[in-house]
Amino acid sequence: MRADRADRPDPVVTTPHGAVRGRHEHGVAVFRGIPYAAPPFGPRRFRPPVPPEPWDGVRDAASFGPTAPKPPYSEAFARYLSDPVVPGDDCLNLNVWTPDPHPGARLPVMVWLHGGALTRGSSAVPVYDGRAFARDGVVLVSVNYRLGVEGYGLFPDAPANPGLRDQLAALRWVHESIGAFGGDPDRITLCGQSAGAISIGALIAAPQAQGLFRRAVLQSGPPEAADRGNVRRMVRRMANRLKVPATAEAFAAVDRALLLRAQAEVGRLSSPVLGGPAFGIVVDGDLVPSDPLKALVEGDAARGADLLMGWTRDEYRLWLVPGGLLERVDRLGAVALAGAMARCHCGHEVVRGYRALLPGAGTAEIVGQMVTDHLLRRPLHRLADARPGSSYVYEFAWPSLLPDLGACHALELGFVFDTGDTPDSRRLAGEGAPQELADALHTAWVRFATDGDPGWQPWDATHPVRVFGDGPAHTTHGPRDAELALWTAPPEPLTAPDGARPRAGELRAVVRRLRRPGGVAGR
């Protein structure tokens, strides 16, 4: 890095709001903490984003900007997931890695939205360093946006989805400004993982975002809309703890740290496996006029966009391994299966099918695969089926070198960004992850952003899926079709696997026993 800076002056680029000075690092130009909207506090709290105040002179862009307010991960999950905190109010900012920060370069652009269940995460996570993408000819932009109740609370006196509106504002900034950083505004690929992918699904379906992107990557997250009643329940539970009305005006008057503590307490009752109220993107009649998956499958939204969609083989293991939930689910047996049937709105014929397809699997694996298929693989399959010829699908199947994690949720990110040499990537992968796998998966994303072809057959009636695991990447056809076919039969009445109808008290009991301290991770 010192050699880079000694060889040439720091890069300076002019944005619509003022000039910014970046740094040359590892052979690429990096600009961090550029504001794309004004700080969302004071009179702007819980409101849609507005442009930042222009500045005079050259603003230094060497360091990551402030991160959005968020509670920390529980100790069990902090062992696997890093989540830096940068204090400050100016949290609506983004970062740019570019190989050539000059107009006219016209390079492909990727806009990255981080995951974290819409309550955690930021662009400052070391795994998301964009230098490998810039090294390989892609301009990488990573975005901070409002989280939790600040970004996704539902109030009678404020517009819905301010966090998603932040993302749209960032996308508009990129479309308008990225040419000055060497990017091509006509070759923008939106990409995200987990909650970031859910956000991408909502954005590409949004009428207001049409024309602002060309392609999209959805990793471990489908287009979906949260139930408005569930989001309201989260706000009401927080209001009850805080002893204030469930309004944006009342919440804006609460100390920020106290608000985060209340959010963390009520959020402990939510997870992808267990269900329960959680913050999420809701249909609002404006930015999200209808369910995003329905708009993409049945409507004309993003009809000309290429899609790259992926999942990990064992998504659920990140949700169940920390805190010992895997063992608890196995011990609960039939009651846990009844809870999974309620979560997935299915009968015991689906459980029997998974038992037959996964002989020897324990209860936790059955529950985990059921919930993963219901929440993630089925909707992504449905989206690919609606867009044959322009959809590409893959599975990340390499198992972590750490005990019990398998090919879990978020494991693939160090390979996507080619940041496996960072301690933060090794938190999930362990020591000695194969560089060849990173080369293959990272190259697939680069190729897709560059020309829309990641390197394998597009989706068709044979259901081609690229598998990234041990050994060379290869394409197989319909590796999950047997499990997903189990959901097509007419559902039988909800009963436990032994034929007895689960009592409501049993379902409440399994939820209470699983939701003990230790917490659960969302998407």
Side-chain angles (χ1 to χ4, degrees), residues 479-491:
R480 295 288 178 179
D481 285 358
E483 287 100 321
L484 298 180
L486 296 171
W487 301 85
T488 61

Side-chain angles (χ1 to χ4, degrees), residues 212-266:
L212 299 179
F213 62 91
R214 184 168 178 179
R215 303 184 178 97
V217 183
L218 289 82
Q219 166 64 43
S220 297
E224 66 179 25
D227 180 87
R228 291 176 65 93
N230 280 341
V231 178
R232 284 197 187 98
R233 277 191 284 277
M234 286 288 286
V235 172
R236 285 199 297 266
R237 288 175 180 178
M238 289 184 64
N240 289 338
R241 287 178 179 270
L242 296 167
K243 301 186 183 338
V244 300
T247 63
E249 181 182 15
F251 273 49
V254 175
D255 175 77
R256 203 179 302 172
L258 184 60
L259 199 66
L260 286 177
R261 283 198 296 273
Q263 178 182 303
E265 289 166 358
V266 301

